[in-house]
Amino acid sequence: AAEGFVGPPSKSLGAGKNGERLIPLEIFIQGDKGPFYESTMEDEGRGGQATVLPFSSYGAMGWARDEYEPNSGGSQFFWLLFDSDLTPAGKNVLDGRYPCFGYVTEGADFLRDTREGDIIVKAKITQGAENLVQPK
């Protein structure tokens, strides 16, 4: 998922209805050798297992997609603005359904001030790009 945020993804499913690139759902579970694609943890019968990057803190970055179409990720992402209803202790409804691909480590005040409908013109990776693992 992070690869598609940083640059053109190596795994693409072509163009969506508005011409945007489509990126397959990618989920990486702790202990696995690599991620699986195109289905949720629940679809794989692995609900409740821990993902490598969980939605566990304010500022977690997730790849947006249509709820019932796992391969509909495009250019939209979201930040988790921690909500105890979405992320109860020990389990949340986002892990395994949407890929988490990073965390905001500075700028919580910026996130607090961001509102629905705001347009982000530019985003930049300031550190950690060397940790990006390209899919095989």
Side-chain angles (χ1 to χ4, degrees), residues 19-31:
E20 74 279 11
R21 64 188 177 172
L22 292 180
I23 300 169
L25 178 62
E26 175 184 324
I27 303 295
F28 200 163
I29 296 178
Q30 287 182 12

Side-chain angles (χ1 to χ4, degrees), residues 52-89:
V52 172
L53 291 176
F55 286 100
S56 60
S57 65
Y58 187 89
M61 296 177 72
W63 207 265
R65 64 175 184 80
D66 291 338
E67 184 176 1
Y68 298 109
E69 179 51 55
N71 297 322
S72 61
S75 61
Q76 295 184 352
F77 65 95
F78 61 90
W79 283 296
L80 177 65
L81 303 179
F82 197 80
D83 181 333
S84 60
D85 291 338
L86 289 176
T87 53

Side-chain angles (χ1 to χ4, degrees), residues 38-57:
E38 302 188 35
S39 62
T40 66
M41 282 176 37
E42 289 172 345
D43 293 341
E44 296 290 317
R46 300 180 71 182
Q49 293 183 342
T51 56
V52 172
L53 291 176
F55 286 100
S56 60
S57 65

Side-chain angles (χ1 to χ4, degrees), residues 5 61 77 79 110 118-126:
F5 182 76
M61 296 177 72
F77 65 95
W79 283 296
F110 168 77
D118 286 354
I119 297 172
I120 299 168
V121 177
K122 183 178 180 181
K124 181 170 119 178
I125 306 296
T126 58

